[in-house]
Amino acid sequence: MSKLIAASAIRGAYQAVEQAKDYLARAIAAKGIDAAVAFPDTNYYLPVIYSMLGNKVQKLADMQPIIAECEKLLPPIPSEKVWLPYLGNTLDAGMATLFAFEITEACKYLIGPNPVDGIWLGAASDVIIRERGIEFVDGSAPGFAAVVGAAPTKEDAVRIARELQEKNLYTFIAGNTNGVSFAEQLAEAGVQTGWETRLVPFGKDISAAIYALGFANRAALSFGNVSPGDYDRNLRYNKNRIFAFVMALGEVTDEKYAAAAGAISYGFPTIADTDIPQILPTGICTYEHVVSSVPISHIVEKCLEVRGCKIKVTKVPIPVAYGAAFEGERIRKEETYVEFGGSRSPAFEYVTSRNLDEIENGKIIVVGPEIDSVEPGSALPLGIWVEAAGRKMQADFEPILERQIHHLLNGAEGVWHMGQRDINWLRISKAAKEKGFTIRHFGDIIHARLINDYPAIVDKIQVTIFTDAEEVTRRLAEVRHVYRLRNQRVESLTDDSVDTFYSCLLCQSFAPSHVCVITPERLGLCGAYNWLDGKAAYEIDPTGGNQPLLKGECIDPVRGQWENINKYVYANSKQAVECVNAYSMLESPMTSCGCFEAVVALLPECNGVMIVHREYLGETPAGMKFSTLASMAGGGQQVPGFIGVGKNYVASRKFISAEGGHKRIVWMPTSLKEALREEFEQIGKRLEIENFLDKIADETISTELDGVVEYMQKVEHPALSMWDITEPSPEAAAVDAARAAALSQ
Ligand code: SF4
């Protein structure tokens, strides 16, 4: 820690203790040593002393042992020449300062000047603590700023005060800079102060800052069940539950340093607008202890960041109703004012991480036409570009936040969202447009909900919505590259090399019995969650919908069935699904919700399967288009012969391996073949099949079964020489025989 800060704080502590001794001596001289002394209307005596030491100061004589304690705590001022660790000493000096400040302020109630004077309110009563303290417990007040000193101008003071009020924080004001105080600046500008405005001027002297700490200590005693004198629990409670910080404006004197040192023991950091030495390493406070030279225009934001104080957006700021009840709402074509993606326009959604200083929290930008400039029934391109920053944010969390966009937007009445990544599809209803809903509001929803729902990792969210066609096309290429990289991260892992899979229950709002079991070799069927994403999501929210599933005993290594996975799926599908095979599409396949990237469908006549992805709108050899196939496969049921999959699973070694794997693929649309060309070249090499992709028919060859069979014969498709796909494979039959034998013993 800075020797300069340590020396200043310790010097300041000496001054504070001297001042307290002086006040106490004068009070005893004026009123006698047995004179009663107290803050008004409280049962907590002098609350900082009471909560930290357990001493009930009721008369002036009771202050003398406290002064003795202060003197014990006062360390020597650091020597110029000999290096010694300063932190412990400085914290002791800080605590001595707080006790001394409390004695000084209490004496003022006896001998003056009266702490309650004009705009100054002095100590809070217990009634106020009960009324206001509970707000710190129930979250309606996210924390408090202890503002000491004065802003550079009264306009700055007003702006800071308004910003703190907007965020529902309390502002406790004490001290002054060269005779000018923050509270006086507000009064001069006509800003109303008092408990009802959450702008609370305690006193013009720095010693009045003790009332802010008295407030925090009383909250710990009354709401935190902390016993008087249990300083350890008291400090921990304050660090973990009371999100307070010191905002030091203007010159920082020795006494202010001493007060700041006292606040640090509670985990309350100091953020200053002047150029003072900093204490950056973390330790007692959650993050840095003293941060300086913060531009006055950004000081509130910086204070919140350094304290780790998250501001909840209590209401999503949109002109339509918002809530989980709207998540299942459908918007028919004729009810749609404007839509995005699906088959009508290019679209994507994407979350990326940024450094904290790179983005502005809550900033929403729309690049391109807004809803007012399009005709009813139009389609617009759409790129939802979300930038997230946070002390604990990491790239691994991007896909998890991105996948939330689906249900976050669906929560708005009159908004419908489907799919993910670059296969999303959104509609805004005519009724929502009538009520004033605009494209910008997508950003407002995402900002409000991500900040609220992910406080552990997200400090700032900035959203840019692109509706400009050129910009969407350009960025699509960029995000597709990232999607691909995300898919590749998991490639070195196999299902056999891990003992844990992850569940995903996110889609149960649409398909209540659907459970995705995410394995390293089979990602979630939306294509947006792979095994690493499941792991990261669990880290973010250990009680959320992505739970680690210890595989347990392997029941069937060929079909991919494990005892514990069955148990979990049974319990979490509301007893609808008794067992699942991860690698089979015909026997107890995994359920499908509705947002899969592709459908794999059995074509018994071809002794194989076809795969159709969402983007392909044409006919297929099954006689059904994607939409009909999707309604057959989806809904959370097990439908043997039809499974929804993530496109990446098509390239996996475990792709319907129970039925023989890739050799069973007889038909895919050309666009899917192109998208997976590289992967199929590798698969062909592994299977020792030359030009494997060319052996798979597509719509340019035929969309009729007969045409596909004819083509298979022409190219000698491997499926033709495999066992009947509707029967178990030889390996699966061997597993069945072994199990039957074991059962009969
Ligand atoms: S499809 Fe599966 S992995 Fe994707 S969000 Fe839904 S439940 Fe989760």
Side-chain angles (χ1 to χ4, degrees), residues 403-404 406 420 502-508 514-518 523-530 545-546 591-597:
R403 192 64 188 107
Q404 309 309 314
H406 174 56
Q420 60 285 324
Y502 286 89
S503 65
C504 189
L505 304 179
L506 215 63
C507 289
Q508 287 200 340
H514 172 64
V515 179
C516 265
V517 176
I518 306 172
L523 81 171
L525 50 85
C526 57
Y529 263 32
N530 63 31
N546 298 99
T591 56
S592 305
C593 48
C595 46
F596 35 82
E597 290 185 297

